[in-house]
Amino acid sequence: MTMKPRVRFAPSPTGYLHIGGARTALFNWLYARHTGGTFVLRIEDTDAARNSQEAVDVILNGLRWLGLDWDEGPITGDATGPSKGDRGPYFQSQRKENYQRRVEALMSRDLAYQHADGTIKFRMTREPILIPDLVVGDVLRPLTDREEADPDWVLVRSDGQPVFHFVNVVDDLEMGITHVIRGEDHLSNTAKHIALFRAFGVEPPKYAHIPLILNADGSKMSKRDKGASLTSYLDDGFLAEAVNNYLCLLGWSPKDNLEKMPLADVVERFDLPQILRHNAKFDYEKLTWLQGEYCREVAPDRFYELGVHAFAKAGMDTNKLDVHFVKAALDTCRGKIKTFAELPAYAGFYFTEQVEYDAEAAKKDFVPENKPRLEKLRDAFLHAPAFNAETLEATLKETAKALGVKAGVLVHPCRLAVTGKTSGPSLYHLLQVLGKERVMARIERALIEFENGLK
């Protein structure tokens, strides 16, 4: 009977979750779900000086936001409460006895030894190691010139701290990991890991080293580069399903070249042989396009919830306002924005008492000849038979015709007067949402600004 795959994501809590790390977690999760296997989350926190609970929370919150649920881990919290406890990840810092036991086993068989400098070193094989890789293909790893003189490497530092290579292998062994899916930058370590597995008398897992994610110019992505930190997507109002979809396309491709795919469809199709060999280039514009596509399809209630959150983050408290007004305002934004972080600038005029005019637009539209035109429009709106989008559009066009000008001549100063901006939601619909009282007050204030601007 073939054992179902067991994969893991094993990040170090360094303060942020790199987009490459998120993609590695996603590929592991996809493979586990595609094969009916198990996805294990393990926090590699043996370096106490660099670790913090805050850094761990960044990882956990990021994975939960993406919807990448893990299958194993100790139960935390009250296991009898309503949620029956939460499943936490494994922490290497809580597994030190395992590492000590494994070191002693190696030393008892003379496969490791105490070095003069106080470290414990592994007796590395002197033969080249073949790395069979499911993505890269077979890689023969010969000893380097330096390694030929002394290929042995440190398992435990002189301060008693086990190194990454050692604890990584011990945990993969004891957790029964069958497939190690990780970034290609780890390929150079794999020969050490294979040798250590064999020293323990077991065959290593299957390896699949996935291509790196590079900037558009081909340079390596650092945490300062745009889009490198997963947290930035939460802050900028992206949808998790859009980010997941885009991450799938970074190094993996379905055979029919589809781009927009629900995660459930990717699970059905995803397999390791489809992972591309060449490095993936990060295209922020393509991600934003995908985000816009998903944003258009968001259910009204969710759009409303995310919109309110975006306004609150910008310091605009919509809770004090009538719910119907807030929902109507947000309805005029549907299909018009790509990320929710755009909302405060796009439609903040709904939730401020006094709008700020765009300076360049004011120079262009608050000009002498437009003042009497806006006064005519104000009077027409004031006496319109109804204050809804359809009537207001007809009223503006009739007024423009009576003045002998195109509708745009009235549209631009009117929009600037009521929103402070030159673009935004449909003018007639936003006028209806704002209501007659607000619109009249804002046009009156703009007419006063005409006087200020003409001095």
Side-chain angles (χ1 to χ4, degrees):
M1 180 178 174
T2 305
M3 182 181 179
K4 286 195 173 180
R6 288 177 57 82
V7 298
R8 48 71 166 179
F9 177 52
S12 297
T14 56
Y16 85 117
L17 181 55
H18 190 278
I19 198 71
R23 195 264 316 253
T24 297
L26 173 62
F27 278 21
N28 276 278
W29 183 89
L30 285 168
Y31 189 63
R33 297 295 171 263
H34 174 75
T35 59
T38 301
F39 176 55
V40 176
L41 176 61
R42 184 174 80 221
I43 305 295
E44 301 201 330
D45 63 339
T46 53
D47 188 349
R50 297 178 63 200
N51 302 326
S52 68
Q53 184 57 47
E54 183 181 4
V56 171
D57 289 342
V58 166
I59 294 169
L60 301 186
N61 292 339
L63 294 181
R64 285 175 180 138
W65 179 69
L66 289 172
L68 306 183
D69 52 321
W70 51 95
D71 302 312
E72 280 189 13
I75 299 296
T76 61
D78 180 6
T80 61
S83 65
K84 299 192 186 318
D86 296 317
R87 189 174 296 284
Y90 292 109
F91 289 91
Q92 284 186 334
S93 59
Q94 298 169 7
R95 300 170 60 81
K96 292 179 180 177
E97 290 180 5
N98 298 10
Y99 311 136
Q100 181 60 37
R101 177 167 44 82
R102 291 287 181 175
V103 166
E104 290 169 359
L106 290 172
M107 293 182 74
S108 71
R109 295 164 55 209
D110 199 31
L111 295 171
Y113 60 92
Q114 184 98 35
H115 192 264
D117 62 7
T119 63
I120 297 175
K121 297 186 81 172
F122 174 65
R123 292 192 191 279
M124 183 66 175
T125 177
R126 269 58 179 167
E127 300 299 322
I129 290 181
L130 180 69
I131 305 168
D133 193 280
L134 298 173
V135 174
V136 180
D138 287 353
V139 177
L140 186 65
R141 175 76 165 81
L143 296 174
T144 64
D145 292 341
R146 181 184 63 78
E147 288 171 338
E148 282 184 3
D150 181 15
D152 297 348
W153 50 275
V154 173
L155 292 174
V156 182
R157 298 188 187 97
S158 57
D159 62 359
Q161 190 74 25
V163 302
F164 157 77
H165 302 295
F166 177 55
V167 296
N168 188 276
V169 167
V170 169
D171 283 339
D172 284 349
L173 190 162
E174 297 196 351
M175 293 179 179
I177 300 303
T178 63
H179 295 71
V180 173
I181 306 167
R182 60 188 179 187
E184 195 175 329
D185 50 336
H186 285 286
L187 183 58
S188 60
N189 303 324
T190 305
K192 290 180 178 179
H193 299 180
I194 288 175
L196 192 52
F197 273 109
R198 288 176 179 162
F200 285 125
V202 298
E203 276 302 299
K206 294 180 171 127
Y207 288 94
H209 287 91
I210 57 183
L212 301 180
I213 300 176
L214 305 177
N215 289 314
D217 63 3
S219 61
K220 189 175 179 181
M221 273 189 111
S222 75
K223 63 182 179 181
R224 293 175 295 278
D225 290 321
K226 187 176 180 65
S229 170
L230 185 71
T231 306
S232 67
Y233 300 106
L234 281 79
D235 293 341
D236 291 344
F238 278 78
L239 294 165
E241 52 266 45
V243 176
N244 270 329
N245 190 157
Y246 183 66
L247 289 179
C248 289
L249 302 177
L250 290 174
W252 174 83
S253 178
K255 290 177 182 175
D256 47 13
N257 293 319
L258 277 176
E259 291 195 313
K260 185 172 180 292
M261 295 180 67
L263 204 55
D265 290 357
V266 179
V267 167
E268 284 188 24
R269 293 163 171 253
F270 187 88
D271 208 350
L272 299 179
Q274 299 160 350
I275 294 176
L276 305 174
R277 178 68 189 86
H278 55 78
N279 289 329
K281 289 192 176 179
F282 188 83
D283 185 342
Y284 197 85
E285 286 186 12
K286 186 171 182 178
L287 167 59
T288 306
W289 167 77
L290 260 179
Q291 163 68 18
E293 294 297 300
Y294 277 97
C295 199
R296 267 195 284 276
E297 299 171 1
V298 171
D301 285 351
R302 188 173 173 214
F303 189 92
Y304 173 69
E305 180 186 346
L306 294 169
V308 165
H309 179 72
F311 283 119
K313 198 167 184 181
M316 299 178 188
D317 185 5
T318 59
N319 291 324
K320 300 172 184 175
L321 301 170
D322 180 78
V323 171
H324 298 293
F325 171 73
V326 177
K327 286 189 172 180
L330 282 164
D331 278 343
T332 68
C333 304
R334 286 180 61 80
K336 304 294 181 65
I337 59 161
K338 288 181 177 175
T339 69
F340 285 88
E342 297 170 17
L343 272 177
Y346 183 78
F349 63 85
Y350 282 118
F351 310 117
T352 53
E353 287 299 318
Q354 190 165 297
V355 296
E356 296 292 327
Y357 303 117
D358 179 273
E360 289 301 312
K363 286 179 188 175
K364 181 180 176 184
D365 292 321
F366 285 178
V367 290
E369 58 269 29
N370 276 348
K371 187 182 180 190
R373 293 167 179 164
L374 193 57
E375 287 173 336
K376 284 279 189 187
L377 184 62
R378 173 202 60 192
D379 295 342
F381 280 170
L382 192 61
H383 297 100
F387 211 81
N388 56 48
E390 186 179 357
T391 304
L392 294 171
E393 181 177 7
T395 301
L396 184 142
K397 289 178 177 176
E398 287 166 8
T399 305
K401 187 176 180 181
L403 290 168
V405 296
K406 291 181 178 179
V409 173
L410 295 181
V411 165
H412 298 307
C414 179
R415 178 184 290 280
L416 186 62
V418 297
T419 71
K421 298 187 177 296
T422 56
S423 61
S426 158
L427 175 64
Y428 309 110
H429 289 90
L430 74 83
L431 292 173
Q432 176 180 322
V433 173
L434 282 170
K436 191 170 188 177
E437 186 178 337
R438 284 193 191 92
V439 170
M440 291 297 111
R442 291 186 183 188
I443 291 177
E444 290 294 347
R445 178 180 166 236
L447 290 169
I448 296 170
E449 287 298 318
F450 269 83
E451 297 297 330
N452 295 335
L454 299 178
K455 288 179 182 175

